[in-house]
């Protein structure tokens, strides 16, 4: 089992001038938290980080320091979009890898149980496994003709990572997407779905939220403190 970690985003919505994956959370970069959790998942054998092209040396030092003797880790240069960053990570995986997870560095506090649930779903035969959580807000759709309409939230789910796939399925879907061109996708399951695969949902965790805005960093710090005092 290999995990590709797209970590090459600029993090403009988070501010602070650093690439998001390098922003500190409780004294350590987000990426270190994410990689350490993944390394602690019993199923994970290998990690590939797609880092910001201009800071690869920093990323190599960080992950080496964070993992020590843990699973093998490779750092590659990310691309202009998340999709390109994931593709760069997939490109260095060899035939011996049969399950690939893709996990956003920005979801630094995902629990290990979610990682294991996703791997189990792929092992059980799914084309794509996606952890989800319920929508807690009321949601409205803005209509093209003007106005808006409420959407029944009971039928909606929020998509998280890690998402899991048989390696050949994900590599094929990325190859197809690259040939087709167009707007890059914001997750990997949609690429598998476009290629004819079926998406299986499993239970995610509210702790797997994506750190996007400054308030998310504060929430993540609070969560770490709460975990530390348990
Ligand atoms: O921008 P967003 O929050 O959707 O990014 C999700 C993940 O994709 C983040 O971990 C980010 O670092 C990564 N990403 C990337 N390469 C890009 C853009 C985003 O690896 N060009």
């Amino acid at each position: 089992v290999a995990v590709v970690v797209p970590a090459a985003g600029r993090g403009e919505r988070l501010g602070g001038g650093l690439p998001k994956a390098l922003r500190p959370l409780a004294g350590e970069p987000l990426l270190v938290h994410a990689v350490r959790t993944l390394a602690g998942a019993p199923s994970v054998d290998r990690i590939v980080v797609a880092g910001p092209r201009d800071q690869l040396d920093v990323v190599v030092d960080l992950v080496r320091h964070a993992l020590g003797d843990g699973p093998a880790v490779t750092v590659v240069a990310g691309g202009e979009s998340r999709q390109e960053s994931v593709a760069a990570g997939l490109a260095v995986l060899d035939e011996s890898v049969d399950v690939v997870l893709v996990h956003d560095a920005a979801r630094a506090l995902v629990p290990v149980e979610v990682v294991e649930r996703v791997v189990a779903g792929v092992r059980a035969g799914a084309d794509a496994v996606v952890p989800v959580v319920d929508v807690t807000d009321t949601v409205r759709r803005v209509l093209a003709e003007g106005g808006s309409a409420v959407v029944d939230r009971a039928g909606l789910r929020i998509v998280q990572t890690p998402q899991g796939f048989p390696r050949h399925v994900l590599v094929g879907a990325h190859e197809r997407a690259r040939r087709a061109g167009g707007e890059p996708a914001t997750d990997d399951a949609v690429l598998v779905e476009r290629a004819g695969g079926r998406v299986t949902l499993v239970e995610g965790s509210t702790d797997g939220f994506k750190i996007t805005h400054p308030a998310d960093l504060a929430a993540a710090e609070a969560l770490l403190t709460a975990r530390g005092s348990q």
Side-chain angles (χ1 to χ4, degrees):
V1 176
V3 192
V4 174
V5 182
R10 281 184 278 273
E12 276 153 8
R13 288 167 294 183
L14 193 57
L18 274 176
K20 177 156 64 179
L22 303 181
R23 280 295 299 273
L25 165 61
E28 288 188 301
L30 279 183
L31 178 64
V32 168
H33 290 276
V35 161
R36 202 182 278 134
T37 303
L38 293 168
S43 301
V44 171
D45 304 304
R46 197 165 163 199
I47 298 173
V48 180
V49 175
R53 189 172 286 277
D54 55 353
Q55 309 225 22
L56 285 187
D57 294 352
V58 177
V59 172
V60 169
D61 282 352
L62 281 176
V63 293
R64 246 188 225 141
H65 176 249
L67 292 189
D69 294 334
V73 57
T74 310
V75 177
V76 299
E80 281 306 304
S81 64
R82 181 187 183 281
Q83 184 179 312
E84 283 179 27
S85 296
V86 173
L90 289 177
V92 301
L93 296 181
D94 59 51
E95 299 282 316
S96 67
V97 173
D98 57 352
V99 176
V100 178
L101 308 187
V102 181
H103 182 61
D104 291 335
R107 298 182 188 275
L109 301 185
V110 68
V112 164
E113 302 84 75
V114 176
V115 179
E116 293 299 306
R117 216 174 279 145
V118 171
V119 173
V122 181
R123 294 264 190 240
D127 298 323
V129 181
V130 172
V132 294
V133 291
D134 291 347
V135 175
T136 52
D137 293 304
T138 297
V139 178
R140 280 187 167 267
R141 182 195 307 282
V142 177
L143 303 172
E145 63 271 27
S148 65
V150 78
V151 180
D152 180 10
R153 71 182 179 198
L156 297 178
R157 299 290 181 274
I158 293 172
V159 167
Q160 301 185 323
T161 71
Q163 298 182 354
F165 315 86
R167 188 184 62 83
H168 69 276
V169 170
L170 187 60
V171 168
H174 267 267
E175 183 53 32
R176 189 176 181 277
R178 193 185 58 75
R179 283 200 308 269
E183 276 295 300
T186 52
D187 81 349
D188 299 276
V190 73
L191 299 181
V192 169
E193 197 167 48
R194 281 183 204 154
R198 266 195 57 195
V199 174
T200 300
L201 305 183
V202 296
E203 194 184 339
S205 163
T206 50
D207 291 5
F209 67 94
K210 189 169 70 172
I211 296 167
T212 306
H213 298 111
D216 301 327
L217 260 185
E221 301 250 359
L223 178 56
L224 277 176
T225 306
R227 281 183 184 175
S229 62
Q230 265 169 19

